[in-house]
């Protein structure tokens, strides 16, 4: 790559972006005005609402028979007292039909005084769906607590006892050992990361759309591609321009947050004594590291956003594509609100999660420079990877100059569709989404209700969606689902590769179990409940054979055939493997099944036969079923599979098995692939 050409592209993109007032508004005005408006607006609205609720008068009715309760006047006086520590405004009114008055909202609540086993009882009736009624009930509750305390003191004094000593026999003192800076940092650490990552993404969206889909819509992309500039130089110039805007936006967001925090601190410092002696200079080292990590994160977000918007042909279409990305980033950013999430090296390498947890830790002065380095390196590495993917996308004329849009044949009249071929990518996305929704909302319910039979129903649903879609759109079932009888070479290669992969996955599971033990425990408990009273053969059929057929038909059949048509084999394999990992709804299984998904896709790609991936899938699941029913016998034969920690020799032994079996399996599959290609040419 030539630096001069990259600089020329960079300058051109920056000038184009700066000429557009929308860019300046999104980059400068929004960050500088957004947080003051949010915080000041929220404070004003909250203050106004609280003042209104505190000063409003609420109508209360008291229903008490004189033969049951003779202190009605005292209770009414207590409820209507506005000079006590509560300063509530309650008005006791007379109502012959309090229930009807409450339902018609003529009164806000009413109290029925009764007696039970010699005790006075108060039943408060209110409507939780009505704000005034709910507020009035809370106020009545506070007043009745005062009445209860005064009644207790009165009774104890009549008995000649020390009321204070009896009612408060124990004195508890709370001593918070966190300093004021740590308490403030803890509050900021739960809010700041979410706001920051969202604002960074919003700052990268518009320039990403303008430099990719905008170029296509204006018809200027063709002109750029005719220049004596290589694709990688073009991409790097565009990426640096978008990253510059995103970084500036991120820094302005940090500045705006800092100014707002200082403003709020100055107000609190004049009105509250708790903030006295608070030293904000202690946050400077944390702020500097946050700035550095935010810049690295902005590079990653810029590259990812450009990858998404490049597929769009217009500004409107690009906005539609960016919406799911925004939702994913925001959803992941909620991890900052979850308490007790440990910041481990693994967490430090997960996109979005790492920046949220890092900021939360830095603001409470937890400086782990090893984890900080991981966050920086991984975000830069992800950015480089995304830029590389972006350059590959720009190598595809179909992406750059194709018709674009989402052509859903499923919504086309069946009589207008042509026979043959494989599904398009848009239909595959819809099938994947429908399958996931059925799994979440229907599969979960039927599995909880019918246990093992419910799992079988879920599997039928999983295979039913792609089969129906392929039938309706008149696709070639043999090509769509890779229905080909494998050769003996392929079968042997698949079996050996499965043995090697399974050994690797078992070793990885030992490591992941230590990171998320609660996740593994939850999965084990669900299987134990599902298999309670079930014999081995039904369990093997439902847990082993059914998923091996149904899930393979969806992932390595329908979805993989569509992905291969749209993108390069490596990208298609990784995409389907990621979807396969997400499908299992488990942190641990995401990684283990993701690896299995890569291997299964590779086998189908090499041999053209889904039968082999079904065989490998069955072998994997069948071993788990055998383990559940014959664990003791297996422990005696292969004890290494049951150890929580492995010795050096055992690790070497497992590596030998992985390398040897996988290596021989890959060689055999390559021979099958070569024979398949030769037969195809002949």
């Amino acid at each position: 790559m030539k630096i001069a050409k990259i600089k020329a592209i960079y300058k051109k993109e920056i000038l184009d972006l700066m000429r557009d007032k929308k860019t300046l508004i999104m980059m400068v005005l929004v960050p500088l005005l957004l947080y003051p408006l949010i915080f000041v607006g929220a404070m004003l609205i909250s203050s106004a609402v609280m003042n209104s609720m505190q000063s409003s008068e609420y109508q209360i009715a008291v229903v008490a028979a004189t033969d049951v309760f003779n202190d009605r006047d005292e209770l009414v006086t207590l409820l209507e007292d506005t000079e006590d520590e509560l300063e509530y405004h309650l008005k006791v009114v007379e109502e012959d039909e309090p229930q009807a008055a409450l339902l018609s909202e003529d009164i806000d609540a009413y109290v029925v005084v009764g007696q039970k086993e010699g005790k006075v009882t108060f039943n408060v009736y209110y409507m939780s769906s009505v704000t005034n009624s709910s507020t009035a009930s809370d106020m009545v509750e506070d007043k009745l607590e005062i009445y209860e305390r005064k009644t207790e003191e009165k009774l104890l004094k009549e008995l000649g006892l020390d009321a204070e000593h009896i009612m408060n026999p124990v004195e508890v003192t709370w001593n918070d050992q966190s300093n004021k800076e740590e308490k403030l940092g803890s509050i900021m650490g739960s809010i700041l990361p979410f706001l920051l990552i969202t604002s960074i993404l919003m700052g990268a969206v518009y320039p990403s759309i303008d430099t990719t889909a905008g170029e296509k819509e204006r018809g200027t992309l063709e002109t750029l591609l005719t220049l004596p500039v290589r694709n990688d130089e073009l991409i790097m110039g565009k990426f640096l321009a978008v990253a510059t805007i995103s970084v500036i936006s991120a820094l302005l967001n940090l500045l705006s947050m800092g100014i707002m925090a200082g403003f709020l601190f100055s107000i609190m410092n004049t009105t509250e004594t708790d903030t006295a002696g608070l030293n904000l200079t202690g946050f400077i080292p944390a702020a500097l590291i946050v700035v550095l990590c935010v810049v690295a994160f902005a590079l990653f977000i810029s590259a990812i956003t450009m990858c998404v918007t490049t597929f769009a042909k217009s500004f409107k279409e690009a906005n539609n594509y960016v919406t799911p990305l925004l939702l994913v980033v925001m959803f992941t950013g909620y991890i900052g609100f979850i308490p007790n999430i440990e910041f481990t090296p693994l967490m430090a390498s997960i996109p979005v999660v790492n920046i949220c947890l890092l900021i939360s830790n830095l603001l409470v002065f937890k400086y782990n420079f090893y984890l900080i380095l991981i966050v920086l390196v991984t975000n830069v590495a992800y950015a480089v990877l995304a830029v590389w993917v972006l350059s590959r996308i720009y190598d595809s004329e179909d992406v750059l100059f194709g018709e674009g849009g989402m052509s859903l044949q499923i919504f086309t009249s069946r009589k207008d569709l042509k026979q043959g071929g494989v599904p398009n990518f848009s239909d595959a996305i819809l099938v994947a989404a429908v399958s996931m929704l059925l799994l979440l909302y229907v599969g979960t319910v039927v599995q909880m209700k019918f246990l093992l039979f419910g799992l079988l129903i879920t599997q039928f649903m999983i295979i039913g969606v792609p089969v129906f879609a392929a039938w309706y759109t008149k696709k070639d079932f043999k090509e769509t689902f890779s229905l080909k009888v494998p050769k003996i070479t392929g079968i042997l290669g698949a079996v050996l590769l499965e043995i090697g992969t399974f050994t690797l996955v078992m070793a990885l599971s030992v490591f992941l179990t230590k990171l998320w033990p609660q996740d593994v425990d939850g999965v084990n408990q669900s299987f134990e409940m599902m298999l309670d009273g079930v014999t081995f053969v039904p369990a093997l059929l439902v847990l082993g054979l059914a998923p091996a057929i149904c899930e393979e038909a969806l992932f390595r059949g329908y979805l993989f055939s569509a992905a291969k048509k749209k993108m390069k084999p490596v990208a298609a394999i990784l995409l389907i493997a990621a979807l396969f990992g997400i499908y299992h709804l488990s942190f641990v299984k995401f990684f283990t099944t993701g690896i299995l998904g890569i291997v299964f896709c590779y086998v189908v790609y090499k041999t053209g036969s889904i039968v082999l991936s079904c065989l490998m899938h069955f072998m994997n699941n069948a071993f788990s079923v055998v383990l559940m029913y014959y664990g003791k016998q297996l422990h005696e034969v292969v004890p290494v599979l049951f150890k929580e920690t492995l010795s050096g020799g055992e690790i070497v032994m497992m590596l030998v098995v992985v390398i040897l079996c996988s290596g021989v399996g890959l060689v055999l599959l390559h021979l099958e692939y070569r024979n398949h290609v030769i037969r195809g040419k002949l």
Side-chain angles (χ1 to χ4, degrees), residues 104-216:
S104 62
E105 299 185 28
D106 293 330
I107 62 174
D108 298 305
Y110 68 93
V111 182
V112 176
V113 186
Q115 195 173 51
K116 182 179 180 181
E117 298 178 357
K119 294 182 180 180
V120 176
T121 61
F122 295 96
N123 292 313
V124 183
Y125 294 83
Y126 69 102
M127 297 172 64
S128 60
S129 59
V130 179
T131 303
N132 281 353
S133 181
S134 179
T135 303
S137 71
D138 292 337
M139 292 181 172
V140 170
E141 180 183 7
D142 294 339
K143 288 284 190 177
L144 291 178
E145 287 180 358
I146 295 176
Y147 179 81
E148 181 182 16
R149 188 173 69 250
K150 288 184 176 181
T151 303
E152 290 172 349
E153 292 176 352
K154 180 180 177 181
L155 291 174
L156 289 172
K157 287 180 180 179
E158 289 176 355
L159 295 172
L161 301 174
D162 186 345
E164 176 64 26
H165 180 73
I166 293 176
M167 293 175 64
N168 301 290
V170 177
E171 181 178 341
V172 179
T173 303
W174 303 93
N175 297 293
D176 188 356
Q177 297 301 301
S178 297
N179 57 42
K180 296 178 180 179
E181 290 80 8
E182 290 173 340
K183 288 188 284 186
L184 176 61
S186 178
I187 297 172
M188 292 172 57
S190 62
I191 303 172
L192 181 62
F194 178 77
L195 293 176
L196 196 56
I197 63 169
T198 305
S199 61
I200 290 172
L201 179 59
M202 295 301 295
V205 164
Y206 180 78
S208 295
I209 294 176
D210 189 71
T211 57
T212 54
E215 291 275 14
K216 298 178 186 179

Side-chain angles (χ1 to χ4, degrees), residues 239-261:
F239 165 70
L240 291 176
V242 174
T244 299
I245 301 298
S246 181
V247 168
I248 292 174
S249 177
L251 295 178
L252 287 174
N253 274 283
L254 280 173
L255 177 63
S256 179
M257 291 178 187
I259 294 173
M260 197 60 223

